[in-house]
Amino acid sequence: HPMCPFQGQGANMGMVDGLQLAQHFADLANNPTMEASMQASKAKILEADIVKRGRKAVLESRNAAKQFHTTSRLQQGLRNLGFGVGNFFIKLASKK
């Protein structure tokens, strides 16, 4: 998955994809008499699921990268303000 590496989303997506592929191949191994057309159909469904989930994550990663690498002073200020507010509440919650 072509994602920015700083959030680790590509690795997470790869692990989920690997699990789904392993389950798919285990199903094929446990049912060797399954017709080729049924195998192809299940493979296409799996591929569509991986692509759909991956596309959403790739676009979210791209948007996050744009936010972190913005050159607009206004956008940088708003981003940093958001981080400051989030940090305040994290510190507040951790004091309890």
Side-chain angles (χ1 to χ4, degrees), residues 1 17 20-21 24 39-55:
H1 299 286
D17 293 348
Q20 285 187 317
L21 286 168
H24 173 73
Q39 290 177 4
S41 174
K42 286 187 168 218
K44 285 184 187 238
I45 291 169
L46 175 62
E47 179 184 19
D49 180 55
I50 288 172
V51 168
K52 180 181 176 185
R53 189 173 29 79
R55 177 174 168 71

Side-chain angles (χ1 to χ4, degrees), residues 11-87:
N12 291 330
M13 296 297 293
M15 287 188 281
V16 172
D17 293 348
L19 177 61
Q20 285 187 317
L21 286 168
Q23 289 172 338
H24 173 73
F25 289 126
D27 289 345
L28 293 178
N30 290 333
N31 193 357
T33 60
M34 186 185 304
E35 293 180 21
S37 62
M38 181 64 132
Q39 290 177 4
S41 174
K42 286 187 168 218
K44 285 184 187 238
I45 291 169
L46 175 62
E47 179 184 19
D49 180 55
I50 288 172
V51 168
K52 180 181 176 185
R53 189 173 29 79
R55 177 174 168 71
K56 180 181 177 191
V58 167
L59 294 176
E60 287 174 357
S61 176
R62 183 181 303 159
N63 289 334
K66 285 179 184 177
Q67 178 187 7
F68 284 112
H69 298 98
T70 184
T71 57
S72 163
R73 293 284 185 198
L74 176 62
Q75 291 296 324
Q76 288 174 349
L78 291 172
R79 176 197 64 204
N80 294 343
L81 177 64
F83 288 149
V85 169
N87 192 37

